[in-house]
Amino acid sequence: KAVVSTQSTGDIKNAFAVKVYEVHARIALERLDTTEYNQCQTRLMDLYPQNPATGNPREFLTYRILYYIYIKNTSDAMKLIAELSPEESANEDVQFGVAVFNAWSSRNYQRFFKLYLTAPKMAGYLMDSYVQRERHATLQTMVKAYKPSVSVAKVSHTLGYPDTETAMVYLNEMKVTFTNAARTAIDCKKTMIET
């Protein structure tokens, strides 16, 4: 953080500054510090044009798309996606970010969580900052749509959990009502998911 502070106060805009901000941004992602990450991302947006062929601009472009989901900024995400160059659009990381945005914005929950499980590089860390919010919204929708009941296996799969045991921890936290003692299905009529 001290090196980043020196970089910004000294107004250094070279390849080394790009490297420092990328490393610091990755550390912020690992720590789920989205405020610190966004400060680095903002600085990187200024540094990349001044330092062509330096750093990982497409990787961080992907993170910017995913960050827009975190802050629920659909309009800026759509504008950014619309302005992608052919080279950016052809990049696998960027394609992943666009696919996640499309799944999220169209409320294609199953696709969203499937993508989450295959997130490249550090995209999963950024998605971790909002995946529970999206699981909550998805569970609300499922409880309304699947009356009278929905299987725990279906919910687990849709919400992108690796197994039903892990999903059960979440479902217990959400205080869902089950249809039977074996707890294999959720009673959608009796389950209330708070907004």
Side-chain angles (χ1 to χ4, degrees):
K1 194 162 183 164
V3 174
V4 169
S5 179
T6 303
Q7 292 287 315
S8 62
T9 57
D11 204 31
I12 300 170
K13 298 178 181 178
N14 59 16
F16 179 69
V18 171
K19 184 79 168 166
V20 168
Y21 278 99
E22 285 185 346
V23 168
H24 190 66
R26 287 187 179 102
I27 292 168
L29 287 175
E30 285 179 353
R31 303 175 101 213
L32 294 179
D33 186 345
T34 53
T35 303
E36 193 68 30
Y37 161 76
N38 189 47
Q39 289 175 2
C40 293
Q41 175 70 41
T42 301
R43 188 76 172 132
L44 284 166
M45 288 181 349
D46 293 335
L47 290 170
Y48 285 137
Q50 298 171 31
N51 296 279
T54 303
N56 301 284
R58 289 182 177 90
E59 176 186 350
F60 281 88
L61 175 59
T62 303
Y63 302 153
R64 189 162 15 132
I65 295 167
L66 298 177
Y67 183 79
Y68 283 142
I69 297 170
Y70 170 70
I71 61 173
K72 297 182 179 181
N73 189 338
T74 305
S75 60
D76 282 351
M78 288 175 34
K79 182 179 178 192
L80 178 63
I81 291 167
E83 294 173 352
L84 292 174
S85 70
E87 295 80 20
E88 290 168 333
S89 294
N91 180 272
E92 279 186 39
D93 294 338
V94 175
Q95 288 174 355
F96 173 82
V98 171
V100 170
F101 175 77
N102 288 338
W104 174 77
S105 63
S106 66
R107 302 187 117 182
N108 184 341
Y109 304 120
Q110 196 154 5
R111 176 104 172 108
F112 175 86
F113 292 110
K114 187 175 183 179
L115 288 164
Y116 169 67
L117 294 175
T118 62
K121 299 180 180 158
M122 300 198 72
Y125 286 102
L126 188 51
M127 292 179 76
D128 283 344
S129 64
Y130 54 84
V131 75
Q132 284 304 97
R133 174 188 81 197
E134 299 306 318
R135 280 183 171 142
H136 187 72
T138 304
L139 183 59
Q140 283 179 313
T141 300
M142 290 182 81
V143 165
K144 290 177 186 174
Y146 282 92
K147 287 184 180 177
S149 67
V150 61
S151 74
V152 169
K154 171 80 172 165
V155 171
S156 175
H157 177 72
T158 301
L159 298 182
Y161 282 106
D163 52 54
T164 54
E165 291 78 23
T166 308
M168 285 299 291
V169 172
Y170 171 70
L171 295 173
N172 288 330
E173 287 174 6
M174 299 306 297
K175 297 183 170 94
V176 302
T177 304
F178 297 96
T179 60
N180 55 33
R183 300 162 61 104
T184 57
I186 297 171
D187 186 328
C188 296
K189 289 181 179 179
K190 294 181 180 176
T191 298
M192 298 296 291
I193 306 297
E194 300 292 320
T195 54

